Amino acid sequence: MIIKHLSTRTYVIVWLVLMALTLASYLISLAHLGAFDTVAALLIATVKTVLVLLFFMHLIEQRFANALPIVVSVPLLVLLLVLIVTDVTARATHSRGNVPTAQPPEVTTGP
C-alpha cells in the first residue's frame, strides 16, 4: 500500500510516542531490573528504530523495493544473533587447575 503524504498530525503523534519511549527507557534504566534491563532496552530501541524508519525516513510512503534492504537485514541480524548465542553457549570452558604461587627469590649474601 502506497500512502501519498502523511499529515503533520501523524508526525507529531509519532514524535510523542518516541518521546514516551525515550522516557520509558530512562525510567527502566533507573529501576534496575537485572537481566530484564537489557531486554527492555533493546525492545524499546527496536520499536523506536522502526518508527523512525517508517515515518521520518518515509519508508511507509515508498514502494517495497525501497524497504527491501530493511526487510532483508532484520532476518540476517536475527540469524547472526542466534549464531553468536549458540557459539557462546556451546563453547567448552576448562579450568586452569591449580596454579602454583610465585616464590620470592632467595637472597644470598657474600662469602
Side-chain angles (χ1 to χ4, degrees):
M1 180 170 100
I2 298 175
I3 300 174
K4 297 277 185 195
H5 181 66
L6 296 174
S7 67
T8 305
R9 180 176 180 258
T10 303
Y11 288 116
V12 171
I13 290 171
V14 171
W15 181 78
L16 289 172
V17 170
L18 288 171
M19 291 299 110
L21 288 171
T22 302
L23 179 64
S25 179
Y26 174 71
L27 293 175
I28 286 175
S29 72
L30 294 178
H32 302 294
L33 302 175
F36 186 67
D37 275 343
T38 305
V39 173
L42 287 174
L43 286 175
I44 291 173
T46 302
V47 171
K48 287 168 55 176
T49 301
V50 169
L51 286 174
V52 169
L53 286 171
L54 289 177
F55 293 98
F56 293 107
M57 294 181 71
H58 306 286
L59 289 182
I60 200 167
E61 299 172 0
Q62 302 298 318
R63 296 176 187 250
F64 181 73
N66 293 340
L68 186 62
I70 304 299
V71 172
V72 170
S73 65
V74 170
L76 179 61
L77 179 64
V78 170
L79 174 66
L80 291 174
L81 288 174
V82 166
L83 291 174
I84 289 170
V85 169
T86 304
D87 179 49
V88 171
T89 56
R91 188 173 294 187
T93 57
H94 304 286
S95 67
R96 294 184 180 184
N98 294 334
V99 179
T101 58
Q103 299 294 328
E106 292 183 23
V107 179
T108 58
T109 57

